Amino acid sequence: MPMEHYQVADMFGRRHQPRLTPYVEARSDVNSRGRVRLLVGIKNVGVAIAKYIYLSVDERGPFSFSAYGVSGNGHWGLPPVSGQSVITEYRGGADHVIHPGIALPVTQLEYRFAVSGVGSLAGDVAIQIAGRICAEGVVLKGWRVNFNHEQIREIVENPYFSVSAEGVLN
């Protein structure tokens, strides 16, 4: 009896896999001069649904993690791993999926920069955020996102400006 394509693919382990890439969107907080909000999320740029997703954010930077999640009402894109003083790990089950071509915001970080009296950025600063990411069928990989001084200056000085950057996988 002839086999379907997916049956042949199953036999040889050649099923389509999700391809995850982290992203960070940085934007100014219009209510507080010098404060930048960093929305950290995951994009599925592959052709398969991503399940059992894991994202961690290393505590290397002087950031504060939002206690109120992405929405400000205690909702995160993925459930936080409990038992930590600072929530830096997020893990989804079978009911948390990312479809191909979809971006899922997971958590939010905040950072306060020193600003001068006229509202411009004081000093030469840059931001680096790093962590780990994986899902079912996807190997655990490290990632990092960098924002240079010019990007941060533009964000701090223009309250309605935002910059997005995709993570580099290690």
Side-chain angles (χ1 to χ4, degrees):
M1 179 185 282
M3 295 174 68
E4 294 291 328
H5 175 73
Y6 71 90
Q7 291 171 318
V8 175
D10 282 346
M11 289 180 64
F12 294 101
R14 305 196 61 191
R15 295 186 103 177
H16 292 291
Q17 301 295 329
R19 201 170 117 232
L20 303 177
T21 181
Y23 73 93
V24 177
E25 180 183 332
R27 64 181 182 273
S28 180
D29 185 347
V30 296
N31 297 321
S32 179
R33 209 171 65 173
R35 186 165 55 182
V36 174
R37 296 186 180 274
L38 304 165
L39 186 65
V40 180
I42 304 171
K43 287 183 184 178
N44 184 357
V45 295
V47 294
I49 293 174
K51 295 186 275 188
Y52 301 103
I53 307 149
Y54 172 81
L55 174 76
S56 73
V57 179
D58 294 341
E59 294 184 74
R60 293 186 190 161
F63 309 107
S64 62
F65 286 78
S66 174
Y68 302 107
V70 175
S71 67
N73 294 323
H75 299 115
W76 283 270
L78 293 172
V81 176
S82 61
Q84 302 176 2
S85 60
V86 177
I87 301 170
T88 61
E89 294 183 87
Y90 306 86
R91 188 178 326 155
D95 56 339
H96 296 93
V97 299
I98 304 176
H99 292 274
I102 300 295
L104 175 70
V106 176
T107 189
Q108 187 168 247
L109 308 172
E110 296 176 358
Y111 186 78
R112 183 173 298 277
F113 290 99
V115 292
S116 67
V118 293
S120 62
L121 187 63
D124 187 26
V125 294
I127 295 177
Q128 180 177 9
I129 303 171
R132 294 180 310 276
I133 189 171
C134 72
E136 179 181 51
V138 178
V139 177
L140 180 69
K141 292 185 178 181
W143 62 270
R144 73 179 184 289
V145 173
N146 296 312
F147 290 100
N148 62 33
H149 176 75
E150 282 302 312
Q151 291 170 315
I152 296 168
R153 184 188 58 74
E154 189 70 35
I155 293 165
V156 169
E157 293 176 5
N158 185 352
Y160 299 103
F161 186 78
S162 68
V163 176
S164 292
E166 288 193 12
V168 176
L169 298 174
N170 303 356

